[in-house]
Amino acid sequence: MIYSRIVGTGSCLPPKIVTNAELAAQMDTSDEWIRTRTGIRQRHIAEASQTSSDLALPASREALSAAGLAPSDVDLIIVATSTPDYVFPSTACLLQAKLGIKGCPAFDIQAVCSGFVYGLAVADKFIRSGQHKCALVVGAEVFSRILDWNDRGTAVLFGDGAGAAVLRADSRPGVMASALHADGSHAGILSVPGNVCGGKVTGSPFLRMDGKAVFKLAVKVLDEVARETLAQCGLTTRDIDWLIPHQANARIIQATANKLGIDASKLVITVDRHANTSAASVPLALDLALRDGRIRPGQRVMLEGVGGGFTWGAVLVEM
Ligand code: ACO
């Protein structure tokens, strides 16, 4: 049997940090409100000239270096982003050119905050098919570009960044199971309902959200999809060493862990430092916990995404 394994991860966070106190100086909010409602203390914000592919490049190089591989070893590139550099070509194609390689398939996945989990599941299936041996999967976002900085209800929640993972074909399972879902009937609770038409933006270029509806749905589907993924392997929540849910909000993460009966000590949390980086949040958290030695070889990690669409999914990996 052919399986895929994560053999290297990497991160890139723009150097500029914006604290809650700095936001409170610009809009009617407070550090206390943001921390108690979301767990967020600060976020990284890209410079105006930095694009998603600019952030994806160092994260990808770091992941390849951790894997001991060169860009020329990659035969599949998937970039998960909702803030692509252009309408087209895809951010994955732009990243491929920046990595100095050509020929391998490269495409973007648009599943908002579930994007990296979607990308990992898709790359796993490409590798299991036997046609691909080394996939680069990246979540990269400049969400600061699609925020209405006059809307305190959403502007305080997000940040920019990129995380990457390299998957290689192996005879031992790394990715043990995955499950992906979507329900487009919930499109209205989280969206950027705009487009480019005739040289102008039609609709709105800014993120709109019904926070309470998102909260409820997120906790419900993160619980369900974790159990569904474990059931594929005949495992239970007791068999997970680490849970890395999408980093939207510390209260969503905690409520999900409570529902699953997973102890808080098994959670990797970065939302306090990074805020919600959408498709980048899960690979950024995975990379951090691998590099600081919390996640060790042989341990089982449940990665979970949930986001606009509505989309959700989980991937269970053995490191
Ligand atoms: N600072 C101060 N006050 C604020 C702010 C702010 N940044 N934002 C909203 N408020 C005010 C509101 O105006 C409202 O005031 P009012 O009572 O005078 O009308 C009050 O705070 C309560 O507002 P609610 O929206 O009811 O606040 P709630 O307790 O629901 O918390 C939050 C809002 C944090 C967004 C919550 O709904 C939530 O966590 N939702 C999940 C959404 C999320 O995390 N989305 C991320 C993207 S989705 C994803 O990644 C899956």
Side-chain angles (χ1 to χ4, degrees), residues 62-306:
E62 204 172 84
L64 285 164
S65 157
L69 296 170
S72 56
D73 293 313
V74 172
D75 61 11
L76 171 68
I77 299 176
I78 299 177
V79 174
T81 185
S82 300
T83 48
D85 294 22
Y86 301 134
V87 172
F88 70 82
S90 71
T91 305
C93 285
L94 300 174
L95 174 63
Q96 185 196 48
K98 286 180 179 179
L99 284 167
I101 54 177
K102 41 180 90 169
C104 71
F107 56 89
D108 286 2
I109 282 189
Q110 162 55 294
V112 200
C113 306
S114 311
F116 181 79
V117 165
Y118 262 60
L120 214 52
V122 169
D124 174 58
K125 289 177 199 331
F126 268 68
I127 288 178
R128 280 176 190 241
S129 77
Q131 283 190 294
H132 295 267
K133 303 224 160 353
C134 181
L136 174 63
V137 185
V138 187
E141 301 282 15
V142 283
F143 246 61
S144 57
R145 306 281 156 77
I146 53 169
L147 299 177
D148 177 354
W149 289 97
N150 295 311
D151 175 14
R152 64 179 183 171
T154 53
V156 302
L157 302 176
F158 296 89
D160 301 332
V166 177
L167 255 78
R168 268 202 120 177
D170 202 293
S171 54
R172 284 179 309 141
V175 174
M176 300 171 70
S178 63
L180 301 178
H181 294 282
D183 180 350
S185 71
H186 296 295
I189 64 172
L190 182 57
S191 65
V192 179
N195 209 330
V196 179
C197 179
K200 295 196 203 101
V201 174
T202 56
S204 168
F206 296 126
L207 184 144
R208 298 276 172 261
M209 180 182 76
D210 174 346
K212 284 188 174 39
V214 167
F215 195 113
K216 267 172 72 179
L217 195 55
V219 174
K220 177 178 177 290
V221 298
L222 288 172
D223 172 63
E224 287 170 0
V225 79
R227 293 182 192 279
E228 176 189 351
T229 307
L230 285 163
Q232 289 176 32
C233 315
L235 299 175
T236 73
T237 51
R238 281 192 296 280
D239 300 306
I240 301 175
D241 294 297
W242 295 99
L243 177 65
I244 307 186
H246 169 49
Q247 308 282 313
N249 179 315
R251 289 191 303 142
I252 294 180
I253 295 172
Q254 194 55 61
T256 302
N258 288 347
K259 224 170 164 194
L260 286 167
I262 293 176
D263 194 78
S265 62
K266 293 184 172 185
L267 284 168
V268 178
I269 296 185
T270 52
V271 70
D272 55 333
R273 282 158 279 174
H274 302 167
N276 181 349
T277 56
S278 190
S281 91
V282 169
L284 280 168
L286 176 65
D287 183 54
L288 186 85
L290 281 166
R291 283 178 193 274
D292 68 20
R294 267 181 288 174
I295 300 178
R296 295 190 304 278
Q299 289 192 322
R300 291 192 192 119
V301 185
M302 176 68 80
L303 307 170
E304 292 198 273
V306 58

